[in-house]
Amino acid sequence: MNFKEIIQEIYLKIKPIEDNGQLASYIPELANVNPENFGIHISTLDRVDFGIGNCYDKFSIQSIAKVLSLCLAYRIVGENLWERVGVEPSGTSFNSLVQLETDNGIPRNPFINAGAIVISDILISNLENPKEDFLAFVRSLSSNSELNYSRKIAASEKTVGFRNTALCNFIKSFGNIENDPSEVLDFYFDLCSLEMNCKELSALFLFLANDGKNIVDNNQILTKSQTKRINALMLTCGFYDESGDFAFKVGVPGKSGVGGGIVAVHPNQYSIAVWSPKLNEKGNSYKGMRFLEEFTTRSGLSIF
Ligand code: DON
């Protein structure tokens, strides 16, 4: 498979197309990004490593970090995790409050904000120094001790985090948050502010294509079964109410963030990261979605 040629061709095709998407301006700092940025990087299990465009520029990975916090929580508490958060697609936007009332404060899945806030609470209850320990986990996955939170982005989100504050307090009223909501939100905003580039992101997610094993040091991060389940959740819930569309058009597990990043994983094959900051009306990168649709079509490598 000539990934390099396929990626180059699709990049050149998608780059000039008109992008009617919008930057995620509800977090003020995210609106300060050059909307023209467009980068891609693939890492494969047979050691192809190729990137193009702005693949070495760091960006805010936002909700993509929810996969990493979920992996760490799953590693620590195992199957008990699913008593606190569900595994069903919500069919709603990422910051919706509506289902929590009828679902008694149990978020539909760990990737909507409500679910990721509960996962943050679980990590706070189980880690000595949540922010430092989570960062150490992410750094160990990537073998990169430079990865970090962005103070600027986290602070910017804190000034406008009213919906997330509402979600956290509402869930707490049902007894599904153990810690002080301000501590939970502080940790949640920090983890969303993680920054990395497409190369770092595709390399970091490669363990999910490798039955849960880090290819650099052979460390088993998650069991094979846990890995399968994380991938299933990314396929069914990774793009909010556009998850069906992503499965239909792209056909691999993936996760998006409002910073315009998308990471997609093909079990036993590759991990690919795409970044283009303008988002479609569902909150997912417009060009990122277009690129990945062409990529799995041209390469013939979807899971279906
Ligand atoms: O809580 C928020 O709204 C953001 N920190 C994360 C949202 C996000 O990335 C949704 N992804 N598409």
Side-chain angles (χ1 to χ4, degrees), residues 26-27 62-63 94 113 157 164 188 192 240 256-258 283-284:
Y26 79 99
I27 299 175
Q62 291 294 322
S63 285
F94 62 87
N113 289 8
E157 184 163 12
N164 287 323
Y188 170 77
C192 288
Y240 314 105
S256 65
V258 287
N284 299 313

Side-chain angles (χ1 to χ4, degrees), residues 47-208:
R47 313 292 166 130
V48 173
D49 222 6
F50 174 72
I52 196 165
N54 300 95
C55 65
Y56 303 117
D57 294 345
K58 285 189 191 290
F59 61 94
S60 183
I61 70 166
Q62 291 294 322
S63 285
I64 298 173
K66 293 171 180 173
V67 182
L68 305 172
S69 53
L70 174 65
C71 288
L72 182 56
Y74 202 9
R75 219 173 118 94
I76 296 170
V77 302
E79 300 307 318
N80 292 338
L81 191 70
W82 311 118
E83 287 166 18
R84 305 272 308 270
V85 62
V87 295
E88 287 298 334
S90 70
T92 62
S93 62
F94 62 87
N95 56 7
S96 175
L97 286 124
V98 291
Q99 291 159 336
L100 285 170
E101 174 86 323
T102 43
D103 293 347
N104 294 315
I106 306 289
R108 286 279 163 105
N109 68 66
F111 295 150
I112 48 175
N113 289 8
I117 288 169
V118 168
I119 297 295
S120 300
D121 181 60
I122 293 171
L123 287 176
I124 290 174
S125 296
N126 284 280
L127 297 172
E128 194 95 6
N129 301 296
K131 290 184 185 183
E132 291 77 3
D133 297 351
F134 176 65
L135 193 56
F137 172 68
V138 175
R139 286 175 174 173
S140 73
L141 278 180
S142 66
S143 316
N144 180 347
S145 59
E146 308 280 296
L147 294 182
N148 219 332
Y149 305 119
S150 160
R151 292 274 131 254
K152 230 176 170 180
I153 299 273
S156 176
E157 184 163 12
K158 262 173 225 174
T159 63
V160 293
F162 306 111
R163 271 189 98 87
N164 287 323
T165 305
L167 284 167
C168 191
N169 282 309
F170 197 41
I171 301 169
K172 177 120 182 138
S173 77
F174 289 99
N176 196 21
I177 292 284
E178 291 172 351
N179 299 283
D180 177 12
S182 63
E183 191 187 352
V184 177
L185 288 162
D186 189 52
F187 178 51
Y188 170 77
F189 292 137
D190 262 25
L191 74 90
C192 288
S193 81
L194 269 178
E195 288 186 316
M196 58 189 91
N197 61 37
C198 290
K199 180 175 164 53
E200 291 161 342
L201 191 57
S202 69
L204 201 153
F205 270 70
L206 198 54
F207 78 99
L208 290 174

Side-chain angles (χ1 to χ4, degrees), residues 33-44:
V33 173
N34 179 354
E36 299 305 315
N37 283 319
F38 187 32
I40 296 120
H41 196 280
I42 190 166
S43 306
T44 75

